[in-house]
Amino acid sequence: MSAVLPPTADGDGRASVALAELLALRARAARKPLSPRRSHAAPAGPQASRVHGRGMDYAESRAYQPGDDVRRLDWRLTARSGKLHTKLFQEEREGRLLVLLDTHSSMRFGTRVRFKSVQAARAAALAGWLAVRAGERVGALAFGERRHQLRPQGSTRGALALCGALASWDAERGPASAAEPLSEALLRAGRLMHGASRVLLISDGLSTDEAAKGRLIDLARHTDVAVLIVGDVLELASAPPGRYPLEHAGLRREVVLVGDRQRRDFQQALGAGQARLAALARSLGLPHRVIDTTVDPLDTVAALLAGVKAGA
């Protein structure tokens, strides 16, 4: 496990993650109404239990069944109905959110407002602030060129740790790891879930491989999985006709886009990763959203944490 330290210099919020911005998102998340969560997996929140003790709240009553604890009989309902009824209680269990963050070099790209990597960090931070506000613990797993993990922590401390990790991972210098297929990242996540009740995957989709489908199915059997796909505007829609200067690894090139087919082919080539991951999430019925680098991700993240599927 890597140590989480604040970056030596805060980023600009455009090409690099700004820790100050991630911390400031707390106020915006605090004003967002928490939506009821829709879950299709085994519930990890309040659950009905036949055992009553500390940390238990009354949920409902039902007809008495052999084996029920007679000390939990609902005498008022029994008297009114003339039939034995048992009280059920729900146990308050602490949920856990695990954020899977893509750190491949393809995330360090953007033509409007900010890089995809910066937008992904903003979305992850918002997820952290919303999760701890809902009483959950939050942890993170970076995959791709940076491979780190942040153990789940609760309360404000958990969200602060997440923000610090996001900024530190983005500012990290030194040799990067080789590309990591999404399937391998999901396998690592399955081993390091720490009892997570839900997982939020944030990626541009370029690392999506054929084996990722099986791994996502396995992961979704044990926890709720949502997918946030981040793209640049050039990856998500055809660009207007014109000349576009692009720079990569210190090399500057100019792309001339004129005809409709040329612009469409260019967009489809750039946006192949987003399309592939969106199609995979759709085929598995996973809640997913696609955002570009210009938008405010708050509503999108809140909808995904509530388990709302695309188009719902």
Side-chain angles (χ1 to χ4, degrees):
M1 178 177 296
S2 60
V4 177
L5 301 174
T8 56
D10 205 6
D12 59 12
R14 298 174 63 188
S16 55
V17 173
L19 177 59
E21 180 184 14
L22 302 187
L23 298 177
L25 291 174
R26 176 184 186 182
R28 299 201 59 248
R31 295 192 294 269
K32 178 69 178 176
L34 295 177
S35 302
R37 181 178 168 196
R38 303 179 188 178
S39 173
H40 297 283
Q47 300 181 36
S49 170
R50 293 186 182 181
V51 182
H52 177 67
R54 298 184 62 184
M56 308 292 287
D57 293 327
Y58 171 76
E60 60 180 344
S61 295
R62 60 154 169 77
Y64 174 84
Q65 296 178 6
D68 285 351
D69 188 343
V70 295
R71 294 173 298 178
R72 302 279 71 83
L73 288 177
D74 187 337
W75 293 110
R76 291 186 178 181
L77 184 54
T78 296
R80 291 198 304 269
S81 65
K83 298 181 180 179
L84 290 175
H85 280 77
T86 301
K87 289 183 177 180
L88 296 180
F89 296 84
Q90 58 184 17
E91 179 182 0
E92 295 180 356
R93 298 183 182 177
E94 190 176 40
R96 293 187 179 188
L97 170 68
L98 178 64
V99 177
L100 303 185
L101 182 71
D102 192 336
T103 66
H104 283 98
S105 60
S106 62
M107 296 291 289
R108 292 183 178 272
F109 173 77
T111 62
R112 304 280 182 87
V113 183
R114 57 182 66 87
F115 278 5
K116 291 184 289 183
S117 56
V118 175
Q119 182 73 313
R122 295 172 74 233
L126 283 168
W129 288 120
L130 290 171
V132 299
R133 183 178 163 216
E136 293 183 305
R137 299 169 70 86
V138 61
L141 179 73
F143 70 94
E145 295 191 357
R146 304 300 174 192
R147 303 178 189 180
H148 304 295
Q149 67 180 79
L150 176 71
R151 66 179 182 83
Q153 300 180 57
S155 69
T156 302
R157 180 178 57 187
L160 290 173
L162 175 62
C163 291
L166 294 170
S168 293
W169 297 344
D170 182 77
E172 184 176 330
R173 297 295 179 263
S177 302
E180 182 179 18
L182 179 58
S183 60
E184 293 185 9
L186 294 171
L187 182 61
R188 285 202 295 128
R191 295 170 178 168
L192 301 172
M193 279 172 53
H194 300 291
S197 53
R198 51 182 170 166
V199 169
L200 176 63
L201 168 64
I202 305 178
S203 172
D204 65 1
L206 283 173
S207 62
T208 306
D209 56 335
E210 291 185 5
K213 181 174 184 178
R215 297 281 164 75
L216 272 174
I217 292 174
D218 290 341
L219 196 63
R221 287 195 182 110
H222 305 286
T223 185
D224 291 330
V225 179
V227 181
L228 178 61
I229 304 165
V230 182
D232 182 75
V233 290
L234 286 182
E235 297 171 328
L236 302 178
S238 296
R243 297 174 177 270
Y244 294 87
L246 299 177
E247 184 175 341
H248 177 68
L251 299 177
R252 191 177 180 86
R253 296 286 186 270
E254 187 176 69
V255 177
V256 180
L257 302 176
V258 182
D260 291 344
R261 181 174 179 179
Q262 183 186 33
R263 291 185 291 117
R264 184 175 60 253
D265 291 346
F266 181 74
Q267 181 270 317
Q268 290 177 350
L270 280 184
Q274 287 84 5
R276 189 160 59 246
L277 183 53
L280 175 57
R282 191 179 306 113
S283 71
L284 299 179
L286 300 178
H288 64 284
R289 291 286 194 279
V290 181
I291 61 172
D292 64 37
T293 60
T294 69
V295 303
D296 179 355
L298 177 58
D299 289 342
T300 299
V301 170
L304 286 175
L305 293 185
V308 180
K309 296 184 179 179

